[in-house]
Amino acid sequence: MRYADLVSLYLDLEATTKRLEKTHLLARFLKERFSKNGSREELSATLQLLQGRLFPPWDKRTLGMSSNLVVKAIAAAAGTTEEHVKEEWKQLGDLGKVAVALVAKKKQATLFSRELSVLDVVTTLRKLPGIEGERSVETKVKLVASLLTSATGEEPRFILRTVLEELRVGIAEGTMRDALCWAFLNPQITYDMENNDIVFTSEAGRAAYNELITAVQDAYDLTSDFGVVADVARTKGVAGLRAITLELGKPLRVMLAQRESTVAAAMDRVGRPAALEYKYDGFRMQIHKQGSQITIFTRRLENVTKQFPDVVASVKKHIKARECLIDCEAVGYDPASGRYKPFQYISQRIRRKYDIAKMAEELPVELNVFDILYVDGETLLKTPFKERRARLREVLPRDVPRKVRLSAYLETSDDKAGEAFYKDSLAAGHEGVMVKALSAPYRPGSRVGTWVKVKPVMDTFDLVIVAAEWGEGKRSGWLTSFTLACQDDDGAFVTIGRVGTGLKELEQEGGVTFRELTERLKPHITAEHGRDVALAPAVVLEVAFEEIQQSPSYESGYALRFPRVIRVRDDRSPEDVTSIEEVRLAFEQQRRG
Ligand code: AMP
């Protein structure tokens, strides 16, 4: 498939903000191109480009192309100087536009190019993360320049947006899911463009349609890969989707929680009686056991098995199942006193590459297991939570303190009992409680209202950095004053304030330094104007503050008073940051006092 065809779809998608219209455009495109033709590889590449990424969500490789490298690539492709490109950038304000203008000029002069295909673009860009060593900059620049040289019309703009990892055509997960259903499962509906509505064309109506949507969602939950889901849907239909099962050894996206400000409200939300568990302040581990082979994934689906030989040993020894998949929180504790320690105490273990055995002794963790999704040939995703908890007890008949245990648990309908349990959890040094619906299935990757967390409100938010400023004076050479964003209801990042305090100038002071944060942010720079730097959302900070205020200065409508950086949350992706719903809730609660 020609890349130009995909670009014309991008342009159509860009022209509307209506979700159903986007779904319709996407579905029509996929149906025309892929229901009968197109290789699986091409389908998968197209879907990835539509989501603005080159790798599946569990693959954390990034392209590592800063705007500086992009300037070099444009200069090379257009046969001009970097200064000229930067001049144009100042005028046009967008590197994509600069590339479109300069590359078109060059083209008239040379008339040499080949037509780009979707696979050309994907195959070329996927090479970028692997390029290392001395001449890596030149090699990367050459690769991107080679694409730009062959690009025509608006193609350079979308190539560069993909390269800079900021596509912005707004294909959210739900839109992609619905579009695959419309394109390949022949639902009995039509899209009424004029009224922007769905019309059901068969008796079965909405219920039948919802079943098809559920089949696509379930298949995506299990595979985390729309390429696979689309290919099965077009070749084997809904029956094929329903036959997809969980695969041990392959990470599953983890289930997430919503938030309420009181235990009573949380219990109302999930329904009574509810299950309450301590909410531990450690980090998430999804553990797959296949006989003696144990694999550990983080919440971001990174494989961290090597870093945790102690956890591997405990699971082998204490978990009584040949095969299973369990969901846990690993909590650090002080080996001398046995007392629990907060997350940052063990966070260093995630990145550690050497002295691993020593680290395991110095910074031990206890596994607090709270869910089981698979056991000896049986998938439990749709099994009600209460029953999953019972199955969990079967694989871990007895808690082994400081090694592996089930999370502290209470089933109750009573506000007072719930409140007391919450107080106990806080008194024991944990973060709060998780309130869970007893009858609910496990929904990978979803923040549905069947898990609700309750923790003291005025603590911290996890926010992603979207902009910064180059410092001056003794801070020159470092990025300072970071603009932070939370997530709005559609998953878009909206700004909520700036932070410059809480970071250290010197390594000796401990904590996060400006230098360190600058190094982490550099590969994500997408644009620079004077001292202002725009950044692709990548690095998540935990930020404390005194108060939330309503404010027209930021996109979220809120601002944080006296924010300060607590730490970098390496375990969080941008999609995990605090939602606007949580901000609203915290604001309301603060007002109530
Ligand atoms: P938050 O990170 O504040 O959105 O809270 C969700 C996180 O709490 C999960 O991703 C887990 O890592 C952690 N957690 C701690 N204890 C539990 C528990 N009992 N059940 C589920 N998640 C838990």
Side-chain angles (χ1 to χ4, degrees):
M1 190 172 88
R2 298 181 325 146
Y3 186 62
D5 297 339
L6 181 62
V7 167
S8 68
L9 174 64
Y10 282 145
L11 292 169
D12 289 346
L13 289 169
E14 218 176 24
T16 176
T17 53
K18 292 182 194 138
R19 197 180 99 84
L20 282 179
E21 192 175 344
K22 281 187 203 274
T23 313
H24 166 71
L25 292 167
L26 192 55
R28 195 179 59 188
F29 177 88
L30 294 172
K31 190 169 180 173
E32 275 170 21
R33 316 264 153 184
F34 290 106
S35 11
K36 305 224 162 41
N37 326 305
S39 69
R40 200 168 147 177
E41 202 189 357
E42 198 167 45
L43 172 59
S44 161
T46 305
L47 294 181
Q48 284 197 328
L49 286 180
L50 279 163
Q51 292 169 275
R53 54 158 87 110
L54 276 311
F55 300 103
W58 65 84
D59 189 329
K60 297 302 170 205
R61 277 178 289 175
T62 55
L63 302 186
M65 284 292 289
S66 64
S67 49
N68 275 340
L69 294 192
V70 166
V71 167
K72 286 185 202 288
I74 298 174
T80 181
T81 60
E82 288 175 40
E83 284 63 41
H84 182 202
V85 175
K86 283 186 184 155
E87 272 303 305
E88 294 282 317
W89 186 11
K90 268 197 200 117
Q91 300 279 323
L92 297 173
D94 179 296
L95 276 173
K97 288 187 188 152
V98 175
V100 169
L102 294 184
V103 171
K105 246 190 219 159
K106 168 84 186 301
K107 232 164 252 105
Q108 286 170 352
T110 60
L111 283 176
F112 164 78
S113 72
R114 68 195 160 111
E115 201 172 49
L116 282 180
S117 73
V118 162
L119 284 177
D120 287 335
V121 174
V122 166
T123 328
T124 308
L125 296 183
R126 276 194 189 142
K127 289 184 189 147
L128 288 170
I131 301 171
E132 279 170 10
E134 235 178 82
R135 304 188 61 82
S136 64
V137 167
E138 281 110 306
T139 318
K140 284 185 171 190
V141 167
K142 250 195 202 150
L143 269 182
V144 175
S146 76
L147 285 180
L148 293 179
T149 313
S150 306
T152 51
E154 290 287 300
E155 287 175 352
R157 190 153 69 89
F158 290 97
I159 291 175
L160 290 187
R161 283 213 206 154
T162 309
V163 164
L164 291 168
E165 294 169 279
E166 50 157 28
L167 187 67
R168 292 188 305 218
V169 286
I171 302 291
E173 193 184 300
T175 310
M176 185 62 93
R177 174 198 63 203
D178 295 357
L180 295 188
C181 173
W182 296 15
F184 302 128
L185 296 183
N186 192 25
Q188 303 298 300
I189 57 164
T190 51
Y191 171 58
D192 170 2
M193 179 127 26
E194 212 161 289
N195 297 309
N196 186 37
D197 203 2
I198 300 179
V199 181
F200 296 97
T201 53
S202 87
E203 287 274 302
R206 182 174 291 277
Y209 173 65
N210 285 346
E211 273 181 28
L212 294 181
I213 293 286
T214 305
V216 182
Q217 179 73 50
D218 286 351
Y220 180 66
D221 286 348
L222 287 167
T223 57
S224 304
D225 188 337
F226 279 123
V228 172
V229 175
D231 191 50
V232 171
R234 72 175 178 152
T235 54
K236 302 193 185 121
V238 67
L241 291 180
R242 290 189 178 131
I244 292 178
T245 52
L246 183 153
E247 254 179 78
L248 278 188
K250 251 181 80 179
L252 200 69
R253 289 172 313 139
V254 301
M255 181 159 167
L256 299 165
Q258 295 185 345
R259 184 170 185 169
E260 280 289 357
S261 50
T262 64
V263 176
M267 283 163 67
D268 286 342
R269 175 96 76 106
V270 304
R272 293 169 197 250
L276 278 69
E277 294 177 6
Y278 283 2
K279 184 176 188 309
Y280 301 93
D281 183 18
F283 75 94
R284 191 91 175 244
M285 278 189 181
Q286 181 183 96
I287 306 181
H288 297 231
K289 179 174 192 298
Q290 299 163 274
S292 61
Q293 191 190 332
I294 314 289
T295 320
I296 308 173
F297 296 104
T298 64
R299 166 180 173 133
R300 299 183 67 173
L301 312 184
E302 282 170 291
N303 186 331
V304 291
T305 313
K306 279 207 188 81
Q307 288 93 306
F308 292 93
D310 45 339
V311 172
V312 169
S314 305
V315 170
K316 270 190 197 163
K317 186 160 174 203
H318 302 295
I319 298 291
K320 308 282 178 234
R322 200 173 54 76
E323 293 193 327
C324 68
L325 196 174
I326 53 177
D327 199 355
C328 332
E329 187 84 349
V331 192
Y333 62 89
D334 180 334
S337 67
R339 233 182 268 134
Y340 287 122
K341 292 281 206 174
F343 166 79
Q344 64 264 45
Y345 175 81
I346 44 158
S347 62
Q348 355 168 7
R349 287 196 62 183
I350 308 175
R351 308 256 147 261
R352 197 61 169 236
K353 303 242 157 57
Y354 52 92
D355 281 347
I356 283 174
K358 190 163 152 246
M359 283 284 270
E361 254 170 52
E362 285 171 7
L363 306 171
V365 297
E366 174 184 74
L367 274 191
N368 286 271
V369 191
F370 52 76
D371 221 319
I372 181 159
L373 317 182
Y374 178 92
V375 63
D376 293 329
E378 197 183 340
T379 301
L380 303 176
L381 292 174
K382 298 225 161 184
T383 306
F385 174 61
K386 185 180 166 87
E387 206 179 316
R388 295 204 303 278
R389 175 84 191 186
R391 302 297 291 271
L392 203 48
R393 202 21 115 199
E394 286 170 17
V395 305
L396 182 66
R398 168 180 81 73
D399 289 342
V400 188
R402 297 299 173 263
K403 293 284 180 210
V404 48
R405 67 194 309 166
L406 297 201
S407 57
Y409 182 92
L410 173 75
E411 260 176 51
T412 183
S413 306
D414 181 48
D415 285 354
K416 277 210 183 93
E419 202 57 48
F421 187 77
Y422 177 41
K423 292 233 165 70
D424 288 348
S425 173
L426 294 177
H430 305 300
E431 252 188 352
V433 287
M434 292 290 272
V435 181
K436 300 183 177 180
L438 285 169
S439 59
Y442 189 94
R443 287 288 316 276
S446 303
R447 204 177 277 287
V448 281
T450 53
W451 279 17
V452 179
K453 60 191 168 192
V454 184
K455 51 185 186 178
V457 162
M458 276 311 119
D459 51 1
T460 61
F461 287 158
D462 292 329
L463 301 168
V464 66
I465 305 177
V466 293
E469 271 176 24
W470 287 112
E472 289 179 319
K474 61 179 180 168
R475 292 187 179 172
S476 74
W478 295 335
L479 288 171
T480 56
S481 184
F482 305 93
T483 304
L484 304 166
C486 60
Q487 246 178 336
D488 75 6
D489 297 328
D490 299 322
F493 297 112
V494 287
T495 55
I496 188 169
R498 276 167 191 246
V499 68
T501 359
L503 290 163
K504 305 290 183 312
E505 289 180 358
L506 300 171
E507 260 77 23
Q508 301 87 283
E509 292 175 85
V512 190
T513 58
F514 282 105
R515 179 193 309 281
E516 197 184 327
L517 198 53
T518 303
E519 287 309 317
R520 288 203 202 205
L521 287 169
K522 265 191 190 162
H524 305 290
I525 294 178
T526 55
E528 291 185 43
H529 291 285
R531 288 172 52 211
D532 293 333
V533 172
L535 291 156
V539 177
V540 177
L541 296 180
E542 181 175 338
V543 176
F545 47 87
E546 297 282 312
E547 199 189 351
I548 308 165
Q549 297 178 320
Q550 279 179 315
S551 159
S553 310
Y554 295 103
E555 293 152 0
S556 62
Y558 295 98
L560 302 179
R561 239 163 88 83
F562 304 122
R564 62 187 183 281
V565 178
I566 303 293
R567 59 197 174 189
V568 180
R569 291 288 327 215
D570 274 328
D571 61 324
R572 302 278 151 122
S573 350
E575 299 85 61
D576 291 332
V577 299
T578 299
S579 65
I580 190 91
E581 182 208 342
E582 290 181 66
V583 175
R584 241 179 254 139
L585 197 74
F587 176 72
E588 289 303 324
Q589 207 197 19
Q590 155 195 307
R591 259 215 306 218
R592 270 183 260 130

